[in-house]
Amino acid sequence: MEKTFVKLSHIRDVVAVAEAGSLRAASRQLGITQPTITRSIRDTENELGVSLFTRRANGVTPTELGNIFVRRAMAIQSELRRAYEELEQAKGNFVGEVSVALSSASGLALMPSILGAFRRTYPNALLKLTESLFQPIEHNILTGEIDFYVGPLDEHLSAATLSVEKLFDNRRMVVARKGHPLAGTKTLAGLRDAQWVRPSFSTQYGEVEFETMFHNAGLEEPEVVVHCQSALMTLLAVANSDLLTVLPMQWMDFAPSKEGLQTIDLADALHAAPICIVRRADVPLTPLAERLCDLTRKAGHNYHLRASGLE
């Protein structure tokens, strides 16, 4: 007997319930009655032969098998949206949405030039921006919820189904408040007695690398007295104390940073992971997303020239 596949409306309903956390909230979100969405979920579970949700007093949560189905359902919805938007864009009607994740550093370096150019050319498009590093949103790229990522990437951490394109190499800087007593220091060894803020919004690999740069110089681990999960909090902590930190060089182009902070220019550069564009390798971007990707490449090239003094 031929297998009957789940209806697209059932896929929509399952995703809505998973995101809302309750049948009632999902029904309000979709504009349908609760009995209708309850019947839809029950029919889907009967068709699949598994329970998708665990019912609780305060709502529902996906079961282990339910999570598997929800991931696929979300990817299907993303691809259907892309298909519709690609057809519209192929007709010259540049509407729809593009979803991009950027690291803080890449946003500071590239977004000012990207945003203006994109908005002037495609005023009716919706641009969704997420600030993140790669690892937290890798799954969202694979499911199609995010079109592409721009930021630092340790290439050995990326999946084989992803395409990685390097925009430019990057550097990190030791950052201190203006007038810091160690401002003229030229080596890491000269900073061995300082206390540090470790920016914990970096990847786990980046946090390990924070200590590694001292090990590579034959020094003991630095004395870390503050962990910050926010770039802004890191800047405030350093600007108002004698603590030091290490941040991508782009943060020193940020206007508030220039007022109360300075870099300690060491003789040996502190390299960082290169800034890359990461996207799915097996599914093309919509024309609109591809245009934004092109603008990102151009902005990355121009930034590299400026930072290298070649412009």
Side-chain angles (χ1 to χ4, degrees):
M1 181 176 177
E2 185 178 349
K3 180 71 175 176
T4 302
F5 291 103
V6 174
K7 296 178 181 178
L8 291 177
S9 60
H10 290 175
I11 290 174
R12 175 205 65 189
D13 296 343
V14 168
V15 171
V17 171
E19 290 180 338
S22 78
L23 295 167
R24 179 179 299 176
S27 67
R28 286 199 302 266
Q29 175 185 313
L30 296 174
I32 59 179
T33 65
Q34 186 171 338
T36 299
I37 201 166
T38 299
R39 185 168 57 253
S40 173
I41 298 300
R42 184 176 63 246
D43 290 346
T44 306
E45 291 178 325
N46 289 338
E47 182 64 40
L48 297 173
V50 300
S51 294
L52 297 176
F53 296 97
T54 300
R55 278 68 175 175
R56 305 185 187 280
N58 59 346
V60 299
T61 56
T63 63
E64 183 177 351
L65 295 176
N67 275 321
I68 294 174
F69 184 77
V70 167
R71 286 198 300 270
R72 294 290 185 179
M74 293 175 72
I76 291 168
Q77 282 203 317
S78 294
E79 286 308 307
L80 284 173
R81 174 185 61 79
R82 286 174 185 236
Y84 171 78
E85 291 178 356
E86 187 163 355
L87 289 172
E88 288 297 306
Q89 293 162 22
K91 294 185 290 185
N93 186 19
F94 284 93
V95 296
E97 65 183 55
V98 183
S99 183
V100 183
L102 303 98
S103 70
S104 299
S106 61
L108 288 168
L110 308 177
M111 187 48 59
S113 58
I114 294 173
L115 184 59
F118 184 80
R119 293 293 306 136
R120 284 192 298 272
T121 310
Y122 309 108
N124 297 319
L126 174 64
L127 181 57
K128 292 185 174 180
L129 301 175
T130 301
E131 183 180 348
S132 178
L133 290 165
F134 173 69
Q135 288 169 291
I137 52 84
E138 179 179 6
H139 168 74
N140 304 85
I141 296 175
L142 294 173
T143 60
E145 296 168 81
I146 291 177
D147 290 297
F148 60 92
Y149 161 79
V150 187
L153 179 69
D154 307 310
E155 296 183 54
H156 67 283
L157 298 177
S158 63
T161 53
L162 294 172
S163 168
V164 180
E165 175 185 350
K166 187 173 85 169
L167 290 179
F168 54 85
D169 290 314
N170 207 16
R171 291 186 295 123
R172 293 173 297 158
M173 313 291 289
V174 175
V175 179
R177 67 168 175 83
K178 282 192 174 178
H180 195 285
L182 297 175
T185 305
K186 295 298 181 183
T187 65
L188 272 178
L191 303 176
R192 61 182 177 274
D193 294 329
Q195 294 181 317
W196 295 77
V197 179
R198 181 165 68 185
S200 298
F201 54 88
S202 62
T203 61
Q204 183 178 1
Y205 177 84
E207 290 181 10
V208 172
E209 197 177 44
F210 184 89
E211 281 84 10
T212 300
M213 67 181 186
F214 288 87
H215 294 164
N216 291 342
L219 304 171
E220 296 182 358
E221 288 190 8
E223 184 182 359
V224 176
V225 296
V226 176
H227 286 202
C228 276
Q229 296 185 350
S230 157
L232 178 59
M233 291 298 103
T234 300
L235 294 173
L236 288 172
V238 172
N240 292 281
S241 71
D242 280 341
L243 301 177
L244 304 180
T245 195
V246 176
L247 289 171
M249 59 184 290
Q250 289 76 23
W251 276 102
M252 294 310 295
D253 295 328
F254 186 46
S257 302
K258 295 178 180 179
E259 294 180 6
L261 299 170
Q262 67 178 87
T263 60
I264 296 179
D265 300 319
L266 304 181
D268 295 325
L270 301 176
H271 296 286
I275 301 297
C276 302
I277 296 175
V278 185
R279 54 194 278 189
R280 283 179 64 176
D282 57 339
V283 177
L285 297 174
T286 64
L288 194 61
E290 191 66 69
R291 301 287 180 89
L292 183 62
C293 202
D294 287 340
L295 288 173
T296 303
R297 290 189 189 95
K298 181 179 179 180
H301 175 72
N302 291 338
Y303 178 83
H304 171 68
L305 293 179
R306 290 195 305 273
S308 304
L310 301 175
E311 192 174 56

